[in-house]
Amino acid sequence: NAGVTQTPKFQVLKTGQSMTLQCAQDMNHEYMSWYRQDPGMGLRLIHYSVGAGITDQGEVPNGYNVSRSTTEDFPLRLLSAAPSQTSVYFCASSYGSGGEKLFFGSGTQLSVL
Amino acid sequence: GENVEQHPSTLSVQEGDSAVIKCTYSDSASNYFPWYKQELGKGPQLIIDIRSNVGEKKDQRIAVTLNKTAKHFSLHITETQPEDSAVYFCAASVNQAGTALIFGKGTTLSVSS
């Protein structure tokens, strides 16, 4: 049972480049979310999804797109990377509908130059 | 929207002492308050949580208290051990399922032997 798998673990981008951070879970969780973690800022919610085909914005959604075509996958897209998006990104999932414990992936460290 | 304040940002204790971390939240509709522990290089892990219809919850050396009227909740760790050293985050839910969480900025706990 792999849990929540994030790829890649590390990524360096140039300003203006696009990329997709991948997140997959094998626990049949309905709920998935993306957070970014910056020094002294804690974890900030970017986007979340309560099921396939349903997504919603969190605290800091600007500059990021998401989609949820399957229960297992929840990719995060950066359309035009900016230095302000340099951060560690965590994907998390849970059963939802009252099963609130979040299972976090191991994170993706992204640097935008 | 919901805002979660967490204090202190750093906390140093001697092994065997107690540690207390406090959080306040702004949205009276929030109904779920978890605490996460994050070790270096890893994703956060749930250590204890409490719902709005409960005032206190204990799990061995860890306890959480909630004061709904004052909109604050606290984490208490007794008989601290060096392995308790980590960053601790409080959070409050912003949806009914309790799966979209707003986190505090974190407390770095150092336990010296």
Side-chain angles (χ1 to χ4, degrees):
Chain A
N1 201 345
V4 179
T5 302
Q6 290 183 237
T7 55
K9 292 191 182 299
F10 301 94
Q11 183 70 49
V12 179
L13 291 178
K14 293 181 180 179
T15 297
Q17 286 185 316
S18 62
M19 81 158 295
T20 299
L21 306 185
Q22 301 291 345
C23 176
Q25 52 89 11
D26 61 359
M27 297 174 282
N28 201 31
H29 285 170
E30 287 295 320
Y31 176 84
M32 297 185 74
S33 56
W34 278 101
Y35 288 86
R36 60 177 288 175
Q37 184 173 29
D38 303 293
M41 296 296 293
L43 293 145
R44 290 183 291 170
L45 181 63
I46 305 172
H47 286 284
Y48 65 99
S49 170
V50 298
I54 305 169
T55 63
D56 206 347
Q57 296 181 350
E59 300 171 90
V60 288
N62 293 341
Y64 307 95
N65 279 356
V66 292
S67 59
R68 184 92 180 274
S69 56
T70 67
T71 300
E72 295 78 20
D73 301 298
F74 191 44
L76 179 71
R77 298 182 186 85
L78 284 72
L79 298 179
S80 179
S84 60
Q85 294 178 305
T86 293
S87 187
V88 179
Y89 291 85
F90 287 98
C91 179
S93 71
S94 81
Y95 289 106
S97 300
E100 297 88 350
K101 176 180 178 180
L102 284 180
F103 293 80
F104 281 85
S106 57
T108 295
Q109 189 165 332
L110 176 67
S111 295
V112 182
L113 306 177
Chain B
E2 177 67 280
N3 182 49
V4 177
E5 302 270 349
Q6 182 172 347
H7 299 280
S9 56
T10 60
L11 181 59
S12 296
V13 300
Q14 292 285 326
E15 182 177 1
D17 288 348
S18 295
V20 180
I21 303 171
K22 299 181 179 182
C23 289
T24 60
Y25 62 99
S26 60
D27 189 348
S28 57
S30 292
N31 59 7
Y32 175 66
F33 307 93
W35 286 88
Y36 282 80
K37 176 183 180 182
Q38 185 178 27
E39 297 176 340
L40 198 61
K42 297 183 179 180
Q45 286 195 310
L46 179 72
I47 56 171
I48 195 167
D49 56 11
I50 192 167
R51 300 176 192 276
S52 57
N53 59 349
V54 175
E56 183 175 4
K57 184 177 179 180
K58 290 183 180 179
D59 183 4
Q60 299 182 337
R61 297 187 295 108
I62 294 173
V64 57
T65 58
L66 171 65
N67 183 326
K68 281 183 59 180
T69 303
K71 288 190 276 189
H72 66 71
F73 55 113
S74 300
L75 177 71
H76 303 254
I77 305 174
T78 58
E79 300 173 20
T80 54
Q81 301 167 3
E83 51 265 38
D84 293 329
S85 296
V87 181
Y88 291 82
F89 293 97
C90 64
S93 62
V94 293
N95 65 341
Q96 275 299 312
T99 47
L101 299 175
I102 301 299
F103 283 82
K105 294 183 178 180
T107 296
T108 301
L109 174 65
S110 300
V111 181
S112 53
S113 55

